[in-house]
Amino acid sequence: ELAKAEQSLTESLGVGLNAKYNALASFWLGEIAYANGQSGIALQRYRNFVARAPRTGEEYAMAQYNMGYCYFNAGDMESAAKAFEEFLKVRTLNDEYRADAYNRMGDVRYATRKYAEAVQYYDRAIASSQTGRYYAQYQRAITLGVQNKRSEKISALQSIVRADRGDYVDAATYELGRTYIAAERYADGVRTLEEFI
């Protein structure tokens, strides 16, 4: 019941007797705003929280993570990178959030045409062994192609197809077929696309 929670947290923030709970109220109000699709308000609340919170708390790390998404969705890649980097510094637990932050850092580097750095971040997401590795494997292959490393791209896509795991097998199969055709390996391209169909 987000509306009721927002009302109570706003009231708590208005009382303002305890710095810790004021900061936490700002964090949770940011979460509610983000859940409601109000990224600008969420970002303002997360910033308010981060300015007053200790760097050691779980909420501090998650505020950085969510700020990263607010910036990322707004197209502010530089600020997104800073927020995700801060998240990765303070939260060392090898979990889905960390793998996802590596993926977003890879996406930021890809968007800013820093392809070698993008591949490094995707490699970190792959090494995490979390489910985010499937996205990272696919994006890594695409990034290799953008760098004109066609044979490495083909090998990366073949690995995804052979493993037959995760949500990107179909996309990898289709992209592999297209890549073969671009490389004038028509028989391989036809065979792969027929298997895809």
Side-chain angles (χ1 to χ4, degrees):
E1 298 182 42
L2 296 182
K4 289 182 180 178
E6 184 174 19
Q7 182 180 356
S8 295
L9 289 164
T10 302
E11 184 178 342
S12 173
L13 195 60
V15 172
L17 294 178
N18 183 298
K20 176 183 176 182
Y21 293 116
N22 285 347
L24 287 171
S26 292
F27 172 78
W28 288 108
L29 285 167
E31 293 285 272
I32 291 168
Y34 192 81
N36 289 330
Q38 300 170 315
S39 292
I41 294 170
L43 189 56
Q44 179 183 4
R45 290 175 175 170
Y46 290 137
R47 283 182 190 146
N48 188 20
F49 168 74
V50 166
R52 297 186 287 169
R55 296 182 75 227
T56 55
E58 174 72 7
E59 290 87 358
Y60 179 86
M62 294 312 297
Q64 292 293 342
Y65 177 83
N66 292 336
M67 286 170 57
Y69 263 105
C70 289
Y71 289 125
F72 185 84
N73 292 336
D76 183 351
M77 296 303 168
E78 184 177 331
S79 297
K82 288 178 184 174
F84 285 123
E85 283 172 359
E86 182 65 16
F87 168 79
L88 289 167
K89 282 181 195 171
V90 297
R91 184 182 169 113
T92 57
L93 184 65
N94 182 22
D95 62 0
E96 289 293 343
Y97 287 111
R98 190 167 183 81
D100 187 65
Y102 282 137
N103 278 330
R104 294 300 75 78
M105 287 297 296
D107 292 346
V108 164
R109 296 304 187 232
Y110 184 92
T112 56
R113 301 176 187 268
K114 297 177 181 173
Y115 301 121
E117 291 179 31
V119 168
Q120 291 173 356
Y121 279 108
Y122 293 137
D123 284 341
R124 291 177 188 170
I126 292 165
S128 75
S129 298
Q130 302 295 327
T131 56
R133 74 183 180 275
Y134 300 121
Y135 173 84
Q137 290 168 345
Y138 181 73
Q139 283 301 115
R140 181 181 184 277
I142 297 299
T143 307
L144 290 169
V146 172
Q147 293 177 288
N148 293 319
K149 297 179 178 180
R150 187 175 288 158
S151 63
E152 290 179 48
K153 177 185 179 183
I154 288 171
S155 294
L157 291 169
Q158 287 172 333
S159 294
I160 295 169
V161 173
R162 270 195 309 271
D164 196 24
R165 297 184 72 167
D167 295 335
Y168 293 88
V169 176
D170 286 345
T173 305
Y174 179 67
E175 185 63 28
L176 179 60
R178 291 184 55 208
T179 305
Y180 281 140
I181 290 169
E184 299 181 3
R185 292 174 57 179
Y186 299 116
D188 290 331
V190 168
R191 177 183 46 78
T192 302
L193 292 174
E194 282 178 343
E195 288 172 5
F196 171 75
I197 292 166

